[in-house]
């Protein structure tokens, strides 16, 4: 989540959510007639009117929201009283509520319910939103008031949360050009405007390729695929007007199981090429030139601030502090990961030879033969495991963990009592198990559909703050599971179940927040993934396995011998998983450290991977032309390494639970987890917070043990 101040100055990745405008109406009329502008009403402190939102209202709502926030900012900047924490910082924290509400709808229309009409509005609004942000970040009077409060606080420190807000606010303005002269400020704003348009175009191009590259199969091309997958593929094809055929969509949730199980090698190659060439097809939706322009503009912009490269500017307020530290971590793990890939490929080639397949392992073969190796080495069949991984039971398992560790209870709300934007969305009330105190609402949007971006993510519609009275939390999780045929269970892979827990970890981080001001809801990118990665660990605990992993037809618990196989295979395929991720993170960093003048993106990617010694048998997890984390906004730019940084914390924190008397359900460790690692959000320096939890800094050795890699002696 992004703080008020960051929304006002950067809005970064969330800004990808915007829309359209009609002729200007009077303020009173627009506020009453445009549903996106209205205050939320109804139960639970008011909820978004998702059932009434309309793309036609977006432009007017965004423009009115910007107008109102600028009026609030101007009032703060032009206040004739001497700057104080209350009349400057607190006033800024309170500003922009109307625009915040609008962006809640905008985010849904962008990520969950996109349409060609919305994308047109989004493209039109992108430069206007950039101008709006610049009007705030470059407001000289406003910055001078912030600077005055900041300088006074350095001599006479405020209470911890107040001081943290002041420090973060000042730093954000400084990092975004508030100290530049007039000429440089003008160019800074122009660059942001250009970038906002490029980010929108990049993400829309990827979405185009996901929607338009569909592989249709006939009945005789279904070898190896499970009945559930076949039924889902048939329904998707029928929905697309291809009755009697079977659709493999261009998303990870469809691609991954197809490449794992399909016996049709040429079709595997076709599906693989469709997926990994998104944004890289040499047509009007190709992203390579857009990326080159983004890199040039980012370097020019930070150059105005005196930085040599974008990575140096971006990482100064992250846990890594600088690109050298981030690269150092990744390059410590890289050799072990690629060495493991060689072992995995050798095992796969042996199996292929034994089967008489007469092939050399290629990227579209990796998942297929890895699955066969898994069966051979561990007698573990992923499809057999899936029979015990039902989406509804996994949801119950997450609720159980939330109850044990956070003392939360999840209760379904009455159907129709809370508006939703699609019939697939379900809502639960979150309360404290003992006191019954209301904490918030949890929305779940589980299934893939046209207009919904790929992947899985969490977001909030309202965060918990106390500076103007206690607010509840409205949080959501969003996945792209393939919707089953009517009456069929939703069965998912172990990896998908892990991701489900991961994103729920983000939601729990939102619910557990105990901060006073909106700015403190923001996160440090290489830290906020830690909490969610840690929650993944509860999926494989005995209490979850024994209670919630039951067969979707018989209802019988997963057999103990199958559980033992899963645990023995825990480090299986870690070469693939670690290498495909690290390749993306390393290329992200290298791109932003390089000179972007006349850069050829395809060539740079190839040469960077060659220099690293990238195994030819697998690709980057996110190839550059569709790397939305990095090029559809700035949230993860030079920061994709953060998942690895967070995983060091995760592995180390997991060992704290393993060492405790009651393991992952140890009350004392759980209490420290919530108190120091979840509740503070960004109200405390992450390094300090982790030390309070663990008593020391995290160590990389735990990560290497987790992945089954050799532990470095030094």
């Amino acid at each position: 989540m992004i703080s008020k101040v960051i929304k006002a100055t950067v809005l970064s990745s969330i800004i990808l959510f915007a829309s359209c405008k009609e002729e200007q109406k009077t303020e009173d009329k627009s506020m009453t007639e445009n549903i996106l502008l209205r205050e939320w009403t109804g139960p639970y402190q008011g909820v978004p009117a998702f059932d009434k939102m309309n793309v036609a209202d977006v432009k007017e709502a965004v423009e009115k929201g910007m107008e109102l926030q600028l009026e609030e900012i101007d009032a703060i900047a032009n206040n004739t009283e001497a700057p104080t924490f209350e009349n400057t910082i607190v006033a800024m924290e309170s500003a922009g509520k109307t625009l915040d509400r609008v962006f809640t709808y905008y985010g849904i229309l962008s990520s969950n319910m996109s349409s060609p009409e919305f994308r047109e509005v989004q493209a039109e609004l992108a430069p206007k939103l950039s101008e709006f942000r610049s009007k705030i970040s470059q407001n000289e009077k406003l910055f001078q008031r912030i600077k005055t409060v900041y300088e006074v606080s350095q001599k006479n420190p405020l209470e911890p949360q107040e001081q943290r807000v002041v420090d973060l606010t000042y730093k954000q303005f400084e990092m975004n050009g508030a100290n530049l002269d007039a000429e440089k400020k003008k160019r800074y704003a122009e660059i942001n405007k250009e970038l906002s348009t490029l980010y929108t175009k990049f993400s829309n191009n990827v979405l185009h390729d996901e929607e338009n590259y569909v592989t249709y199969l006939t009945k005789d091309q279904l070898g190896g695929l499970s009945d559930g997958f076949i039924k889902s593929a048939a329904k998707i094809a029928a929905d697309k007007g291809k009755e009697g055929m079977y659709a493999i969509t261009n998303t990870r949730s469809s691609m991954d199981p197809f490449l794992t199980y399909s016996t049709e090698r040429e079709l595997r190659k076709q599906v693989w090429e469709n997926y990994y060439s998104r944004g890289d097809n040499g047509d009007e939706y190709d992203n390579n030139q857009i990326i080159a322009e983004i890199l040039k503009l980012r370097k020019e912009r930070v150059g105005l601030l005196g930085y040599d490269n974008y990575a140096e500017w971006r990482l100064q307020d992250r846990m890594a502090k600088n690109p050298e530290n981030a690269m150092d971590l990744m390059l410590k793990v890289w050799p072990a990961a690629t060495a493991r890939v060689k072992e995995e490929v050798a095992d796969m080639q042996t199996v292929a030879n034994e089967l008489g397949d007469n092939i050399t392992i290629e990227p579209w073969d990796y998942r297929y033969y890895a699955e066969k190796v898994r069966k051979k080495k561990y007698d573990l069949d992923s499809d057999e495991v899936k029979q015990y991984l039902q989406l509804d039971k996994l949801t119950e398992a997450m609720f159980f963990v939330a109850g044990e560790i956070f003392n939360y209870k999840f209760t379904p709300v009455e159907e129709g009592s809370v508006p939703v934007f699609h019939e697939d969305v379900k809502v639960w009330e979150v309360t404290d198990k003992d006191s019954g105190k209301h904490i918030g609402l949890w929305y779940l949007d589980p299934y893939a559909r046209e207009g919904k971006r790929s992947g899985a993510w969490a977001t909030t519609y309202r965060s918990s703050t106390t500076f103007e009275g206690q607010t509840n939390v409205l949080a959501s999780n969003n996945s792209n599971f393939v919707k089953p045929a009517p009456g069929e269970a939703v069965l998912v892979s172990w990896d998908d179940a892990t991701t489900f827990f991961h994103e729920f970890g983000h939601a729990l981080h939102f619910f557990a927040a105990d901060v006073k001001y909106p700015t403190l809801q923001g996160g440090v990118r290489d830290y906020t993934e830690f909490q969610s990665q840690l929650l993944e660990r509860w999926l494989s605990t005995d209490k979850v396995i024994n209670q919630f992993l039951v067969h979707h037809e018989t209802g019988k618990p997963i057999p103990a011998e199958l559980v033992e196989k899963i645990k023995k295979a825990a480090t299986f395929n870690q070469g693939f998983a670690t290498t495909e991720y690290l390749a993306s993170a390393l290329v992200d960093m290298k791109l932003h450290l390089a000179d972007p003048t006349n850069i050829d993106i395809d060539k740079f990617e190839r040469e960077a991977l060659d220099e690293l010694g990238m195994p030819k048998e697998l690709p980057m997890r996110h190839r550059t032309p569709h790397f939305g984390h990095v090029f559809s906004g700035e949230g993860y730019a030079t920061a994709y390494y953060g998942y690895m940084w967070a995983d060091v914390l995760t592995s180390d924190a997991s060992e704290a639970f393993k060492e405790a008397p009651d393991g992952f359900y140890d009350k004392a460790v759980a209490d420290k987890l919530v108190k120091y690692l979840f509740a503070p959000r960004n109200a405390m320096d992450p390094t300090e917070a982790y030390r309070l939890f663990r008593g020391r800094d995290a160590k990389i050795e735990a990560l290497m043990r987790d992945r089954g890699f050799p532990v470095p002696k030094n």
Side-chain angles (χ1 to χ4, degrees):
M1 286 305 297
I2 299 178
S3 71
K4 297 279 183 182
V5 132
I6 298 175
K7 279 185 179 177
T9 57
V10 192
L11 273 171
S12 74
S13 57
I14 276 191
I15 275 322
L16 293 174
F17 312 144
S19 327
C20 216
K21 175 188 173 192
E22 307 165 341
E23 285 299 313
Q24 186 71 37
K25 301 178 181 178
T26 65
E27 179 174 331
D28 289 345
K29 188 176 181 183
S30 63
M31 293 296 285
T32 56
E33 292 187 359
N34 191 319
I35 193 70
L36 308 189
L37 291 165
R38 291 186 205 165
E39 289 194 22
W40 297 343
T41 59
Y44 307 110
Q45 299 183 24
V47 291
F50 287 132
D51 56 335
K52 294 181 177 140
M53 66 181 182
N54 193 307
V55 172
D57 291 330
V58 173
K59 185 179 177 185
E60 177 191 54
V62 171
E63 292 188 339
K64 175 56 70 175
M66 290 191 293
E67 177 189 324
L68 293 173
Q69 185 162 346
L70 287 175
E71 289 175 1
E72 292 172 314
I73 292 297
D74 284 343
I76 298 167
N78 294 313
N79 190 338
T80 56
E81 296 178 4
T84 65
F85 177 77
E86 289 294 331
N87 69 22
T88 302
I89 304 300
V90 174
M92 289 179 65
E93 294 292 293
S94 187
K97 291 188 178 69
T98 300
L99 189 58
D100 287 348
R101 291 195 297 269
V102 174
F103 271 116
T104 293
Y105 298 108
Y106 187 72
I108 296 298
L109 291 168
S110 175
S111 295
N112 302 67
M113 302 283 289
S114 186
S115 66
E117 295 78 14
F118 175 78
R119 288 170 218 170
E120 287 181 16
V121 173
Q122 190 177 32
E124 182 183 350
L125 281 174
K128 295 180 180 181
L129 283 159
S130 178
E131 289 178 348
F132 159 75
R133 297 192 299 276
S134 294
K135 286 178 181 177
I136 297 174
S137 64
Q138 298 190 1
N139 187 314
E140 183 63 28
K141 289 182 179 179
L142 179 67
F143 179 61
Q144 289 306 317
R145 293 183 69 86
I146 294 168
K147 191 173 184 179
T148 298
V149 175
Y150 171 77
E151 289 174 346
V152 169
S153 74
Q154 300 308 295
K155 298 171 184 174
N156 300 296
L158 302 163
E159 291 297 314
Q161 289 207 24
E162 279 76 4
Q163 188 63 52
R164 183 76 171 164
V165 173
V166 171
D167 292 345
L168 291 173
T169 302
Y170 177 78
K171 187 65 175 175
Q172 283 297 325
F173 271 75
E174 182 186 54
M175 284 182 66
N176 286 280
N179 276 322
L180 294 177
D181 61 35
E183 185 179 344
K184 287 183 177 179
K185 277 184 180 178
K186 181 183 178 188
R187 181 57 189 149
Y188 195 99
E190 290 171 350
I191 291 172
N192 278 341
K193 188 174 179 180
E194 292 177 57
L195 284 170
S196 68
T197 297
L198 292 171
Y199 296 155
T200 300
K201 191 171 183 183
F202 178 97
S203 56
N204 285 342
N205 284 349
V206 175
L207 192 54
H208 169 275
D209 285 359
E210 288 176 350
E211 291 177 352
N212 287 279
Y213 285 80
V214 180
T215 302
Y216 290 101
L217 312 180
T218 57
K219 197 167 186 177
D220 61 348
Q221 295 175 318
L222 302 174
L225 303 177
S226 68
D227 288 343
F229 186 87
I230 290 170
K231 288 174 182 176
S232 295
K235 184 179 185 305
I236 293 168
D239 290 345
K240 292 180 177 291
K242 298 279 189 178
E243 194 76 44
M245 299 193 80
Y246 306 84
I248 308 302
T249 58
N250 205 20
T251 61
R252 184 172 289 275
S253 62
S254 190
M255 172 276 295
D256 203 286
F258 184 80
L259 294 186
T260 302
Y261 298 109
S262 173
T263 58
E264 301 288 331
R265 191 176 189 229
E266 283 304 309
L267 283 172
R268 291 204 308 268
K269 181 179 180 182
Q270 180 180 326
V271 168
W272 185 92
E273 288 178 338
N274 281 349
Y275 184 79
Y276 287 103
S277 66
R278 290 170 298 149
D280 192 28
N281 290 299
D283 56 12
E284 62 180 301
Y285 302 100
D286 191 282
N287 274 332
N288 286 287
Q289 190 54 44
I290 290 174
I291 294 166
E293 290 299 319
I294 288 172
L295 291 171
K296 289 175 194 171
L297 290 168
R298 283 177 176 171
K299 183 173 177 62
E300 181 188 353
R301 193 184 68 190
V302 300
L304 295 172
L305 300 168
Y307 294 92
D308 290 334
N309 58 67
Y310 182 87
E312 184 183 88
W313 170 81
R314 179 68 284 169
L315 268 60
Q316 62 183 295
D317 61 348
R318 304 289 167 92
M319 287 190 80
K321 301 304 180 189
N322 58 60
E324 291 76 23
N325 288 339
M327 288 292 286
D328 181 61
L329 169 64
M330 292 190 283
L331 292 175
K332 280 179 178 174
V333 180
W334 178 258
T338 53
R340 180 59 57 81
V341 167
K342 289 180 182 177
E343 296 173 12
E344 291 170 3
V345 171
D347 288 342
M348 291 188 289
Q349 191 65 57
T350 298
V351 168
N353 294 343
E354 289 172 353
L355 293 171
D357 287 348
N358 193 30
I359 60 105
T360 299
I361 301 296
E362 298 285 356
W364 43 90
D365 299 316
Y366 207 114
R367 291 168 175 83
Y368 180 75
Y369 287 100
E371 184 57 29
K372 294 188 177 302
V373 171
R374 191 199 309 265
K375 291 179 183 178
K376 178 183 176 183
K377 286 186 103 170
Y378 302 100
D379 191 25
L380 181 62
D381 183 341
S382 291
D383 201 49
E384 180 185 2
V385 175
K386 281 180 73 169
Q387 309 310 305
Y388 297 91
L389 294 171
Q390 303 172 66
L391 185 62
D392 58 348
K393 299 300 289 184
L394 288 169
T395 305
E396 290 178 23
M398 296 192 311
F399 293 165
F400 168 76
V401 171
E404 293 292 297
I405 306 302
F406 294 84
N407 210 44
Y408 292 161
K409 178 182 178 182
F410 285 72
T411 307
V413 304
E414 184 182 348
E415 194 98 8
S417 63
V418 172
V420 294
F421 51 84
H422 191 277
E423 61 183 8
D424 291 342
V425 180
K426 305 302 177 190
V427 187
W428 286 258
E429 182 184 9
V430 186
T431 55
D432 182 85
K433 278 202 312 185
D434 296 332
S435 68
K437 177 188 174 185
H438 170 76
I439 295 164
L441 296 179
W442 183 65
Y443 297 68
L444 175 63
D445 182 17
Y447 303 125
R449 60 176 166 270
E450 194 162 313
K452 186 177 183 181
R453 71 178 175 91
S454 60
W457 66 96
T459 190
T460 50
Y461 309 140
R462 180 167 58 226
S463 298
S464 171
T465 58
T466 60
F467 81 118
E468 293 179 329
Q470 179 72 57
T471 58
N472 68 349
V473 178
L474 306 181
S476 76
N477 281 131
N478 310 270
S479 302
N480 268 282
F481 298 115
V482 177
K483 192 171 184 178
E488 297 290 324
V490 184
L491 304 178
V492 306
S493 68
W494 187 267
D495 284 348
D496 282 342
T498 300
T499 300
F500 198 39
F501 266 67
H502 174 105
E503 297 303 335
F504 188 61
H506 282 304
L508 290 175
H509 201 181
F510 300 143
F511 288 124
D514 181 17
V515 300
K516 191 172 182 179
Y517 301 100
T519 286
L520 303 181
Q521 286 290 348
V524 178
R525 187 65 70 178
D526 49 9
Y527 181 65
T528 53
E529 291 298 335
F530 154 54
Q531 288 83 353
S532 52
Q533 287 177 192
L534 184 60
L535 201 84
E536 297 172 13
R537 303 305 175 101
W538 273 267
L539 172 61
S540 56
T541 59
D542 289 341
K543 287 187 178 183
V544 166
I545 288 172
N546 295 335
Q547 293 181 70
F548 302 101
L549 272 60
V550 298
H551 197 279
H552 71 103
E553 290 178 339
T554 66
K556 292 183 179 178
I558 187 169
E561 57 269 25
L562 184 54
V563 173
E564 190 58 31
K565 290 177 186 177
I566 292 170
K567 291 184 175 180
K568 282 183 178 178
T571 60
F572 176 74
N573 227 29
Q574 273 299 326
F576 175 89
T578 306
T579 300
E580 68 155 5
Y581 157 74
L582 272 178
S584 290
L586 285 162
V587 170
D588 164 36
M589 191 67 74
K590 284 175 174 289
L591 278 166
H592 288 90
L593 292 172
D595 181 357
T597 307
N598 300 320
I599 192 169
D600 180 325
I601 299 301
D602 268 340
K603 182 181 178 184
F604 185 95
E605 180 183 285
R606 286 194 306 273
E607 291 181 348
L609 294 175
D610 286 345
E611 287 172 12
L612 287 165
M614 179 73 175
K616 68 178 180 60
E617 294 87 1
L618 73 162
M620 301 161 62
R621 181 174 179 84
H622 303 286
R623 284 200 56 236
T624 312
H626 51 252
F627 204 169
H629 287 75
V630 174
F631 296 110
S632 64
E634 298 192 31
Y636 282 93
T638 71
Y640 197 62
Y641 79 88
Y643 286 95
M644 178 65 69
W645 194 278
D647 224 2
V648 171
L649 301 173
T650 300
S651 297
D652 193 75
S654 295
E655 292 193 348
F657 277 100
K658 291 173 186 174
E659 295 161 3
D662 293 320
F664 276 87
Y665 296 90
D666 189 87
K667 187 74 169 64
V669 181
D671 286 347
K672 287 174 68 177
L673 177 83
V674 176
K675 180 178 181 180
Y676 295 122
L677 303 182
F678 276 76
R681 293 292 296 181
N682 200 13
M684 184 185 298
D685 177 80
T687 303
E688 178 189 346
Y690 191 83
R691 286 173 184 156
L692 287 170
F693 168 74
R694 195 70 165 108
R696 57 167 174 76
D697 291 331
K699 299 178 180 179
I700 193 175
E701 288 82 358
L703 172 80
M704 304 300 275
R705 283 191 287 270
D706 257 351
R707 300 192 178 211
F709 295 162
V711 178
K713 292 179 181 178
N714 185 2

